């Protein structure tokens, strides 16, 4: 007894399964680091070429598998995160074709391949990735269809027919799939943690050392989007506060731990309140940003002592937060002693000239405000802004302030802070984003990674922490550049033609995509029927709704599948319809009854339309059986007349 | 697999139909079974992994893909069932063969609706599968059945199955035709030659001389090769057959009683061999079996079948 699953693949089926593997692998490769992706792609091509005629031996396959596992692990520095896992999967998928000879192998290759888009979605959830992934899935169904044809020993179906059948099967499954998607109960908190990306996406980090940010500042992808409800702050006030760094060791600014610094002092908010939703792109970190000082921490986040927000878990997926912020009038009017000591700490043995200058300023000017103003004036006069800053040596601040005098925000913020501390003013570095781009299509602000910024906060008696941005002193356009970006100016066409026009449209599409597809979660699900008056669904109601909808969708699927295929010949179709109309009044044609005999029987039954029916039947039998009599035009007329006929 | 053999047999025994039934049989939802194939189980595990992963990370693209594939799989299940639903097995038949030969069982199927059916296969529970193609609503497959014993052969339970459309699920239905098929006795391999024909002695002697040619006639299909007169045929350019004078007395009597002393089954086998031999030689023969009126004398396919049938149905000794 030969197992039909062990039947060898024909060339077309093999090509097809390989195509599926390729298309499924593609989105994964696009997400992996370049060299790894290229290596995997090359491996796949070589493997397919080597094993085309006969499969590789077990020994060779084992050797290849071990080699590639080690190679991939080495590529990621033996750091087993999500990327490493995905790259491994890609590599194994590239190896799999080496043993694809039977129907069973073909199926396992397709099944395995379908896992690749899934793992890609863990890395990226963009519309293109989804489109590619779904294409792969559809081709996969086509391949399965084709293998089933082969197993059923049917003649080779060509290329299009399995695809068409796969599409049909998929289309019938869509209602059910959507019902599950919208209503299958989601879970609010994950069952297990989110695996880290081995190669971290650039985001705001807990530390800052010279030169770190060059990469971040040239990354024009969106980090967050803000929708203002009500008042929109001027762009010059859009300081999105992120990590606050108060520890400096001479090289690196660090966040330090915030525990044990005493009770958090109250902030006196001003009367201006900005309410907004912030959609944060995934970063795999817990650090969040908020406009200036948030009035409260949204659920799932905590407000640190330095008024920066941290999420309870890494922001691995797109998240949306509703927040209110206000520019503070007074922020921490009393500075507790440990915090003051910390904000005045100088690194031991670094930057002697800066420290000396600070001391000198203190003895010369006395007043804190005057010292700050002096430093800002100096920076404005003698310094310049460039992302292309020369590298700095051991005493970074000394070299920057007294030698190079060219740099970007992190140089300015870091050096200014150190100088103020030397002058005895408690100061800290704040990192975050500044400004944003107005997306006219979507009516929201895009905050790009390249908007990352660092500034300083000085503590002044009576005012508390006050924001001072030394970069704005040299390069105000960095913060205030607003050419053609004012609110509500121009139309959609201007947007398209303006700078970054297409990027804006792209991000608008992406934002909608986020809104409709990615942002759907347990919370949104519970509010799904809010328009119908059902405020929040309980788990039970959700299960019930899911059950009902899924059953309806299943019923629809069965109904769609059960329909007999549509008759292709229009005349025959019209004839069957006509028969069905007679069946409804109890005068249907018996299956064995010839058409003319049926028409006669109707006549004997005394139906008033019998004469017309007999005439139609005669024309019908002529068109069916009298070869050469009927032409296309008369067939069309006949079909039309058959359709028009109504029994009575 | 072998470990679960017992369980599997017990489960299969529960499946409908549980006994032979008369044809035609129409497959409906009560007798169509749909279960995932091994690949289907693998696929289900894959989808489960994707869904749990997607739910855990609230990864909507992953969920969307997993659910779309699940929807397609589900509709393939329905579709698989519909390949069988409404299909009828109208008849089975077979040319009788001698025991030990392969019986070619023809299974005739028909559908009443116009739905296209694909990927159908017919087999016995553990036999070779044979694809079944339907053309204009009717289809026929030939299944090979091994035969071992003479007599009525009960056809085992037939299975019509398909893994169409995606190979994820197998839909199958059993049909257990009541129609028994007759298997003729196995002819004895090394049997003695046919007994001498009976009748009056003169006629017997005449026959013993063997070549009292009455006339020559044209060859007819089914004539024995031995009877062909090669030399006259060569002269006339057409095949001629010697027709012997065949007095009544030269009919052969194949008599059960004369074979006493042989075991029961050997007697049956020898008579079966002699029936075939007599038929091959174009002789008329009469078959005597205990407790039955004699069959014949006669010759020809109908007589052969009648004799072999009687032999096949002899009570087992």
């Amino acid at each position: 007894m030969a197992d039909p699953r062990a039947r060898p693949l024909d060339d077309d089926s093999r090509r097809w399964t390989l195509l599926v593997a390729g298309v499924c692998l593609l989105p994964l490769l696009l997400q992996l680091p370049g060299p790894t992706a290229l290596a995997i792609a090359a491996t796949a091509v070589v493997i397919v070429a080597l094993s085309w005629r006969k499969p590789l031996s077990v020994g060779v396959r084992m050797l290849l598998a071990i080699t590639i596992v080690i190679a991939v692990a080495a590529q990621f520095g033996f750091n087993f995160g999500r990327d490493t896992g995905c790259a491994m999967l890609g590599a194994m998928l590239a190896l799999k074709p080496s043993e694809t000879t039977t129907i069973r192998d073909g199926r396992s290759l397709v099944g395995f391949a379908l896992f690749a888009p899934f793992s890609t979605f863990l890395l990226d959830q963009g519309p293109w990735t989804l489109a590619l992934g779904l294409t792969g899935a559809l081709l996969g169904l086509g391949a399965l269809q084709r293998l089933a044809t082969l197993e059923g020993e049917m003649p080779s179906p060509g290329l299009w027919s399995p695809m068409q059948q796969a599409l049909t099967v998929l289309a019938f499954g869509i209602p059910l799939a959507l019902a599950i998607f919208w209503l299958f109960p989601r879970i609010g908190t994950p069952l297990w943690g989110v695996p880290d990306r081995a190669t971290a996406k650039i985001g705001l980090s807990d530390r800052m050392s010279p030169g770190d940010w060059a990469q971040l500042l040239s990354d024009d992808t969106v980090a967050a989007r803000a929708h203002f409800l009500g008042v929109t702050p001027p762009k010059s006030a859009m300081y999105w506060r992120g990590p606050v760094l108060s520890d400096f060791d001479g090289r690196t600014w660090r966040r330090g731990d915030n525990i044990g610094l005493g009770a958090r002092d109250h902030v006196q908010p001003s009367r201006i309140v900005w309410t907004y939703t912030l959609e944060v792109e995934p970063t795999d970190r817990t650090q969040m940003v908020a406009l200036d000082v948030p009035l409260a921490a949204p659920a799932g986040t905590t407000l640190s002592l330095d008024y920066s927000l941290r999420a309870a878990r890494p922001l691995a997926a797109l998240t949306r937060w509703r927040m209110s912020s206000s520019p503070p009038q007074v922020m921490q009017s009393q500075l507790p002693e440990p915090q003051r000591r910390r904000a005045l700490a100088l690194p031991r043995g670094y930057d002697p000239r800066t420290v000396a200058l600070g001391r000198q300023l203190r003895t010369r000017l006395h007043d804190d405000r005057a010292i700050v103003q002096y430093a800002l004036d100096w920076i404005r006069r003698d310094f310049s802004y460039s992302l292309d800053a020369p590298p700095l040596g051991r005493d970074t601040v000394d070299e920057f302030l007294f030698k190079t005098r060219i740099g970007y925000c992190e140089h300015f913020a870091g050096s200014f802070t150190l100088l103020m501390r030397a002058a005895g003013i408690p100061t800290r570095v704040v990192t975050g984003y500044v400004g944003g781009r107005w997306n006219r299509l979507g009516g929201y602000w895009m905050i790009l990674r390249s908007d990352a910024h660092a500034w300083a906060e000085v503590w002044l008696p009576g005012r508390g922490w006050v924001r001072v941005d030394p970069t704005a002193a040299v390069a105000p356009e960095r913060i205030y550049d607003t050419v053609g970006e004012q609110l509500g100016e121009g139309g959609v066409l201007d947007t398209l033609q303006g700078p970054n026009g297409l990027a804006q449209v792209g991000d608008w599409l992406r934002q909608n995509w986020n809104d409709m597809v990615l942002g759907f979660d347990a919370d949104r699900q519970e509010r799904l029927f809010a328009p119908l008056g059902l405020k929040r669904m309980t788990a039970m109601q959700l299960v019930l709704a899911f059950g009902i909808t899924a059953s309806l969708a299943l019923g629809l699927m069965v109904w769609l599948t059960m329909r007999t295929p549509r008759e292709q010949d229009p005349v025959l179709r019209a004839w069957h319809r006509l028969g069905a109309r007679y069946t409804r009044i109890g005068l249907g044609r018996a299956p064995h009854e010839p058409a003319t005999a049926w028409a006669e029987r109707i006549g004997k039954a005394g139906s008033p339309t019998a004469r017309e029916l007999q005439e139609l039947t005669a024309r019908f039998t002529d068109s069916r059986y009298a070869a050469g009599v009927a032409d296309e035009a008369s067939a069309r007329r006949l079909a039309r007349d058959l359709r028009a006929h109504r029994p009575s | 697999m072998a470990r679960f053999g017992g369980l599997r047999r017990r489960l299969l025994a529960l499946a409908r139909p549980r006994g032979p039934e008369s044809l035609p049989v129409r497959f409906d939802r009560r007798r169509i079974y749909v279960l995932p194939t091994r690949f289907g189980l693998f696929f289900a595990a894959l989808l489960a992994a994707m869904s749990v992963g997607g739910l855990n990370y609230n990864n909507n693209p992953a969920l969307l893909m997993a659910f779309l594939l699940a929807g397609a799989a589900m509709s393939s299940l329905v579709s698989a069932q519909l390949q069988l639903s409404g299909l009828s097995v109208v008849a089975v038949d077979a040319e009788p063969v001698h025991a030990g030969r392969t019986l070619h069982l023809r299974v005739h199927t028909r559908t009443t609706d116009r739905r296209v059916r694909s990927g159908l296969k017919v087999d016995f529970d553990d036999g070779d599968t044979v694809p079944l193609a339907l053309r204009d609503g009717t289809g026929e497959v030939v299944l090979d059945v091994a035969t071992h014993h003479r007599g009525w052969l009960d056809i085992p339970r037939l299975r019509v199955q398909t893994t169409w459309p995606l190979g994820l699920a197998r839909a199958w239905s059993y049909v257990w035709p009541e129609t028994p098929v007759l298997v003729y006795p196995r002819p004895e391999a090394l049997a003695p030659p046919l007994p001498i024909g009976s009748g009056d002695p003169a006629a017997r002697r005449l026959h013993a001389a063997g070549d009292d040619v009455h006339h020559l006639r044209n060859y007819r299909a089914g004539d024995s090769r031995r009877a062909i007169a090669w030399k006259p045929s060569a002269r006339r350019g057409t095949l001629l057959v010697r027709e012997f004078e065949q007095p009544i007395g030269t009919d052969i009597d194949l008599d059960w009683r004369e074979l006493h002393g042989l075991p029961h089954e050997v007697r049956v086998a020898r008579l079966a061999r002699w029936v075939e031999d007599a038929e091959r030689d174009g002789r008329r023969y009469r078959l005597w079996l205990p407790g039955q009126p004699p069959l014949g004398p006669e010759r020809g396919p109908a007589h052969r079948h009648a004799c072999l049938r009687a032999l096949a149905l002899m009570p087992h000794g």
Side-chain angles (χ1 to χ4, degrees):
Chain A
M1 181 174 80
D3 187 345
R5 286 165 302 187
R7 186 166 302 132
L9 291 174
D10 62 332
D11 275 0
D12 271 355
S13 304
R14 194 123 78 94
R15 269 185 216 116
W16 199 318
T17 51
L18 291 177
L19 174 72
V20 170
V23 173
C24 286
L25 191 56
L26 182 63
L28 184 57
L29 291 186
L30 292 179
Q31 291 305 317
L32 290 176
T36 315
L38 277 178
I40 291 176
T43 311
V45 171
V46 170
I47 291 284
V48 168
L50 279 181
S51 60
W52 185 253
R53 285 292 152 222
K54 78 184 177 62
L56 301 181
S57 69
V58 181
V60 175
R61 289 207 305 262
M62 287 299 289
L63 196 66
L64 274 170
I66 293 169
T67 314
I68 203 141
V69 165
I70 293 173
V72 169
Q75 185 102 41
F76 287 94
F78 295 96
N79 180 355
F80 291 95
R82 197 192 322 172
D83 284 13
T84 323
C86 288
M88 290 279 184
L89 183 80
M92 296 316 265
L93 188 55
L95 280 186
K96 194 83 179 72
S98 63
E99 46 171 13
T100 305
T101 48
T102 62
I103 293 184
R104 196 191 328 228
D105 298 337
R107 282 185 174 149
S108 70
L109 178 60
V110 171
F112 198 49
L114 287 179
F115 213 74
F118 167 74
S119 61
T120 315
F121 295 145
L122 294 181
L123 299 178
D124 178 69
Q125 308 187 22
W128 289 114
T129 306
L130 182 63
L132 271 176
L134 289 185
T135 309
L138 180 62
L139 284 173
L141 288 180
L144 292 184
Q145 177 80 49
R146 162 128 202 158
L147 293 176
T149 320
L150 195 65
E151 192 186 38
E153 293 171 57
M154 285 184 279
S156 176
L159 283 181
W160 174 235
S161 142
M163 227 34 238
Q164 202 180 4
Q165 284 146 354
L167 271 170
T168 315
V169 168
L170 186 64
F172 291 165
I174 282 177
L176 183 66
L178 290 183
I180 309 177
F181 182 78
W182 295 119
L183 290 169
F184 188 82
R186 301 297 182 94
I187 41 182
T189 46
L191 301 172
W192 67 87
V194 176
D196 290 332
R197 275 196 88 135
T199 53
K201 219 181 258 180
I202 312 164
L204 291 175
S205 85
D206 283 355
R207 49 175 60 202
M208 178 180 96
S209 41
D212 263 5
W213 281 29
Q215 210 188 345
L216 181 61
L217 290 173
S218 55
D219 181 359
D220 261 341
T221 57
V222 173
R225 296 177 187 80
H227 272 275
F228 284 98
L229 314 158
V231 192
T232 303
K235 202 177 163 188
S236 56
M238 278 194 210
Y239 277 84
W240 306 90
R241 279 175 103 247
V244 176
L245 316 177
S246 35
D247 292 354
F248 184 54
D249 62 2
R251 302 282 315 166
T252 306
W253 288 91
R254 281 188 214 314
R255 187 168 178 273
D257 68 80
N258 260 316
I259 304 155
L261 291 179
R264 189 166 64 214
D265 200 350
H266 286 291
V267 168
Q268 277 182 34
S270 59
R271 278 186 309 171
I272 309 163
V273 173
W274 300 308
T275 308
Y276 55 97
T277 55
L278 196 66
E279 188 183 281
V280 184
E281 288 280 338
T283 58
D284 290 351
R285 293 177 189 277
T286 56
Q287 187 62 55
M288 303 245 307
V289 292
L291 186 56
D292 220 328
V293 175
L295 293 175
T301 63
T302 48
L303 201 53
S304 312
L305 291 163
D306 51 24
Y307 287 91
S308 68
L309 273 184
R310 285 182 94 83
R313 44 193 177 86
L315 304 169
L318 188 94
T319 47
R320 184 171 297 148
W321 311 88
R322 195 189 161 94
M323 291 192 271
S324 296
S325 294
S326 174
Q329 267 181 336
V330 179
M331 183 173 169
Q332 222 175 0
S333 55
Q334 296 298 317
L335 194 63
E337 197 45 41
Q339 223 173 328
R340 168 185 293 273
R341 267 207 306 279
R342 200 163 170 186
L344 285 171
L346 296 170
R348 207 176 290 271
Y350 280 95
D351 307 309
R353 290 185 67 185
T354 310
V355 173
L357 177 66
R359 301 246 160 89
Q360 194 189 344
L361 285 177
R362 164 61 58 192
T363 50
R364 229 173 55 205
L365 294 166
H366 312 293
D367 181 36
D368 286 357
R369 281 161 214 258
I371 296 173
V372 169
Q373 196 52 53
Y374 175 86
L376 286 179
D377 289 343
W378 179 40
I379 287 172
R380 184 176 300 123
R381 200 172 55 236
D382 290 349
F383 288 70
S384 57
Y385 182 90
S386 170
L387 276 181
D388 200 12
L392 301 170
R394 181 180 181 273
D395 294 321
T396 51
V397 177
D398 273 6
E399 285 193 33
F400 175 68
L401 286 182
F402 304 108
K403 252 163 80 188
T404 64
R405 290 188 180 176
I406 180 164
Y408 49 92
C409 57
E410 66 166 296
H411 300 104
F412 289 106
S415 307
F416 178 80
T417 303
L418 194 69
L419 182 63
M420 290 304 108
R421 284 185 178 188
I425 305 173
T427 315
R428 59 194 186 188
V429 173
V430 183
T431 59
Y433 299 100
V434 68
R437 316 269 154 106
W438 173 243
N439 191 309
R440 194 174 292 133
L441 279 170
Y444 60 90
W445 290 84
M446 305 184 284
I447 300 157
L448 309 185
R449 288 188 211 286
S450 57
D451 290 330
H453 193 53
W455 59 93
E457 275 179 352
V458 295
W459 191 86
L460 301 175
R463 282 290 311 279
W465 293 105
V466 175
R467 180 173 63 227
V468 178
D469 188 350
T471 318
V474 241
E477 74 283 353
R478 178 81 183 80
I479 291 100
Y480 306 115
D481 65 338
T482 52
V483 192
E485 285 192 43
Q486 260 81 25
L487 273 170
E489 185 191 279
V492 175
L493 263 182
D494 285 348
T495 310
L496 278 174
Q497 287 157 354
N500 299 323
L502 280 177
Q504 282 208 14
V505 176
D507 192 73
W508 174 68
L509 289 175
R510 175 102 192 191
Q511 199 270 337
N512 277 304
W513 169 254
N514 289 344
D515 205 40
M516 320 265 269
V517 181
L518 300 189
F520 190 77
D521 57 9
D523 182 53
R524 291 262 297 277
Q525 190 179 36
E526 284 173 8
R527 287 184 280 116
L528 193 61
F529 289 114
L532 299 178
L534 207 57
K535 275 275 178 296
R536 244 174 206 287
M537 283 193 287
T538 61
M540 216 38 232
Q541 283 168 325
L542 197 59
V543 168
L544 196 69
F546 168 67
I548 294 171
T549 322
S551 315
L552 285 178
L554 203 60
L556 178 66
M557 179 204 292
V558 171
W559 180 76
L560 283 170
T561 332
M562 276 190 66
R563 282 182 322 159
T564 46
R566 194 177 133 99
E567 177 59 56
Q568 292 298 312
D569 180 0
V571 172
L572 214 50
R573 194 162 64 227
W575 174 252
H576 288 313
R577 293 253 176 84
L578 183 141
R581 286 197 285 272
Y582 272 92
T583 309
R584 245 171 272 149
I585 60 165
L587 290 173
R589 189 172 64 87
H592 56 80
E593 204 171 18
T596 42
W598 173 56
E600 268 173 41
R601 182 162 63 84
I602 304 287
K604 284 195 196 109
S607 167
T609 51
R611 177 158 291 282
E612 196 191 337
L613 178 68
Q614 275 164 9
E615 186 240 338
L616 280 173
T617 308
R619 279 170 62 195
F620 173 70
T621 43
D622 278 355
S623 94
R624 297 291 295 165
Y625 306 113
V629 174
D631 55 71
E632 265 186 45
S634 72
R636 263 201 303 277
R637 268 199 309 281
L638 174 61
R640 196 190 58 218
D641 294 347
L642 285 172
R643 275 196 295 271
H645 181 75
R646 290 284 177 282
S648 60
Chain B
M1 209 63 203
R3 208 182 328 155
F4 298 109
L7 178 68
R8 186 161 172 264
R9 249 195 311 282
R10 241 174 301 161
L11 278 177
L12 287 180
L14 283 178
R16 283 164 202 265
R18 294 182 197 135
E21 57 195 335
S22 59
L23 297 177
V25 162
R26 186 167 182 276
F27 295 149
D28 57 16
R29 65 189 160 73
R30 263 181 308 223
R31 55 192 298 155
I32 298 175
Y33 300 93
V34 183
L35 276 183
T37 56
R38 234 179 289 176
F39 175 66
L41 289 177
F42 166 68
F43 197 76
L46 189 85
L47 291 187
M50 281 188 193
S51 315
V52 172
L55 279 174
N56 189 58
Y57 303 138
N58 196 44
N59 191 318
N60 284 327
L63 285 176
L64 200 61
M65 186 173 108
F67 293 160
L68 278 177
L69 287 176
M74 202 62 213
S75 86
S76 90
L77 247 66
V78 176
S79 193
Q81 152 129 12
L82 286 174
Q83 301 304 315
L84 291 181
S85 177
L87 183 79
S88 311
V89 172
V90 282
V92 293
D93 60 39
E95 288 291 324
V97 293
H98 290 290
R101 299 283 184 80
T102 306
L103 184 84
H104 300 290
L105 185 74
R106 281 191 297 269
V107 182
H108 304 269
T109 55
R110 190 170 62 211
T111 65
T112 42
D113 47 38
R114 287 176 301 138
R115 202 182 306 129
V116 179
R117 283 150 215 280
S118 315
L120 294 175
K121 284 180 159 189
V122 185
D123 63 357
F124 297 113
D125 265 339
D126 336 274
D128 278 345
T129 55
V130 182
L132 163 66
L134 290 164
R135 203 157 286 124
D136 295 329
T138 58
E140 184 188 311
V141 290
V142 178
L143 289 174
D144 292 346
V145 188
T147 60
H148 304 287
H149 308 288
R150 68 183 172 88
W152 292 115
L153 172 71
D154 288 324
I155 299 170
R157 195 160 62 165
L158 284 168
R159 179 169 62 170
V160 184
Q161 57 159 336
T162 180
T163 59
W164 182 273
L166 294 184
L168 296 175
R170 168 173 289 111
W172 78 96
S173 193
Y174 292 112
V175 55
W176 202 335
E178 208 176 26
T179 333
V181 185
L182 197 62
V183 177
Y184 293 160
R186 191 195 299 263
E188 196 181 9
L190 299 162
L194 286 168
I196 306 302
S198 64
D200 68 285
R204 196 186 298 165
R205 204 171 47 246
L206 188 69
H207 176 81
D211 52 3
D212 183 26
V213 181
H214 184 239
H215 67 282
L216 293 167
R217 63 164 173 81
N218 279 326
Y219 177 83
R220 284 196 299 260
D223 279 332
S224 157
R225 284 168 62 97
R226 285 196 206 166
I228 294 173
W230 293 107
K231 279 181 186 162
S233 295
R235 273 200 298 277
R236 299 255 193 102
T238 174
L239 273 182
L240 293 172
V241 178
R242 275 192 201 97
E243 190 142 274
F244 297 95
E245 183 153 16
Q246 291 199 338
I248 299 291
T250 59
D251 292 347
I252 307 169
D253 274 305
L254 307 175
D255 196 337
W256 177 266
R257 287 160 303 182
E258 302 222 335
L259 297 174
H260 53 81
L262 287 174
H264 184 83
E265 283 305 316
V266 178
R267 281 166 143 185
V268 174
R270 178 160 303 168
L271 287 174
R273 161 64 62 201
W274 279 348
V275 166
E276 295 292 1
D277 284 354
E279 196 61 44
R280 191 193 57 209
D281 291 353
R283 310 273 296 270
R284 278 156 55 100
Y285 53 96
R286 185 190 286 128
L287 179 66
W288 296 84
L289 289 175
Q292 301 181 24
L295 292 162
E298 193 63 76
R299 61 174 181 158
H303 183 55
R304 168 179 173 263
H305 280 303
C307 293
L308 288 173
R309 177 186 165 89
L311 281 170
L313 294 177
M314 279 293 289
H316 287 266

